[in-house]
Amino acid sequence: MDDSIALILGGGTGSRLFPLTHVRSKPAVPLAGKYRLIDVPVSNCINSKLYRIFVLTQFNSASLNRHLARTYLFDKYRRGFVTIMAAEQTRTSLSWFQGTADAVRQSIPHFTVYRHKKVLILSGDQLYAMDYSRLVAHHEKHKAAVTVASISVTAEQAGSFGILKTDDNHQITEFHEKPADLTGKSSPVSPEMAAEGRTYLASMGIYVFNSDELCDILDAHPDDHDFGKQVIPRAIKNMKVVSYPFEGYWSDIGTIDSFYEANLMLAGNEPGFNIYNPRMRMYTNARMLAPAKLIGAQVTESLVSEGSIIGRSTIEHSVIGIRSFIGSGATIRDSIIMGADYYPWHGRQLRERVEGPQHPGIGDYTHIEGAIVDKNVRIGNNCIIRNTEGVQEHDAGNFHIRDRIVVIPKNAEIPDNTVI
């Protein structure tokens, strides 16, 4: 992988993940209690021995930049780096990033100064474990100009993706964006995938380009701003583009519902994504927190992160984030509690950052079900947070409902005896 570099796209405004993206970018959204979404592609790079990594950012990128700067410090002998490339105005371009392809186009002067032959373009808001060295080997074996990672999906799922049509040698012959008619659009897949009815190949938004071809196609068509909708379809017509079939777990975390489902999947008994795999480790900021403490709590099918303190409460099928404080008699079910940046007993003079309520945490005898509670939230005693009426969408001062999931935004305070 010494001749390759990785470009991780930081994404746009993240409106479908609001309110989690109100003050942070999509890749900075917390995941599984202690990680952030950006840790997924960066960890995949490290596990694949791909150590030259650029992260392209634009919207709400302060917390993402801070996380990357604190977390990924390579030793001087490896010569690796994780470098932020923020959108900028220059003498040759006064516009911000207009899309995925435009972000890469505007960043070309910054990464072409490093010697490389191949460029991996990755998303910053997906959950999967992939050895990119196998992806690159597949690219080289088929002498491709471009390789598109793909995952097999069913006919019911295909309408939500860009669908690739391939021949027996993995070469892509057609591309269809969210097709309504699937006639003639299936592709050769493995017997295992065929047995499950997954005969359509969906683009994962993960690409390998030969460096010269990438620069040529972006320079030749300056108005092409999106890889999936413009660059890849054009490349299929003019050069050899192949598919790399991936059969592991993959989730595109673009909505509140997909974020919620992916997190609770990790809390299950047999999760599709293995965060305990020693060969594909997940890296993140090492905070040096104390172990979690459970004081008479009953916990089933849940992830409990370090630094948490849970009283005599019931936790079922939930994710409990770092420094979470949960009182006595509370019930947390099918929920994501992101935790806090500081302990509730720490005064402002002890905090690294002063924003947020004085005493974050969940009070006594509070019931939370089917909810996402963002960081540094204070929920009082005897509260009920549960969408019993099945409201699909709603916005209020200190809570939102998306996809029937109640979301309490970062730094919110919910008074005692509140019913949501």
Side-chain angles (χ1 to χ4, degrees), residues 85-103:
M85 287 198 293
E88 61 181 356
Q89 292 180 315
T90 67
R91 295 186 183 278
T92 58
S93 175
L94 297 177
S95 63
W96 303 114
F97 296 157
Q98 302 301 305
T100 54
D102 188 60

Side-chain angles (χ1 to χ4, degrees), residues 375-395:
K375 276 194 168 183
N376 304 334
V377 168
R378 169 63 187 174
I379 298 178
N381 300 323
N382 301 301
C383 295
I384 298 176
I385 298 175
R386 179 176 56 192
N387 186 6
T388 54
E389 297 182 3
V391 176
Q392 185 71 26
E393 305 281 328
H394 183 74
D395 292 295

Side-chain angles (χ1 to χ4, degrees), residues 26-41:
K26 285 193 292 183
V29 172
L31 172 73
K34 62 175 292 182
Y35 306 101
R36 293 178 185 255
L37 289 176
I38 190 64
D39 293 326
V40 176

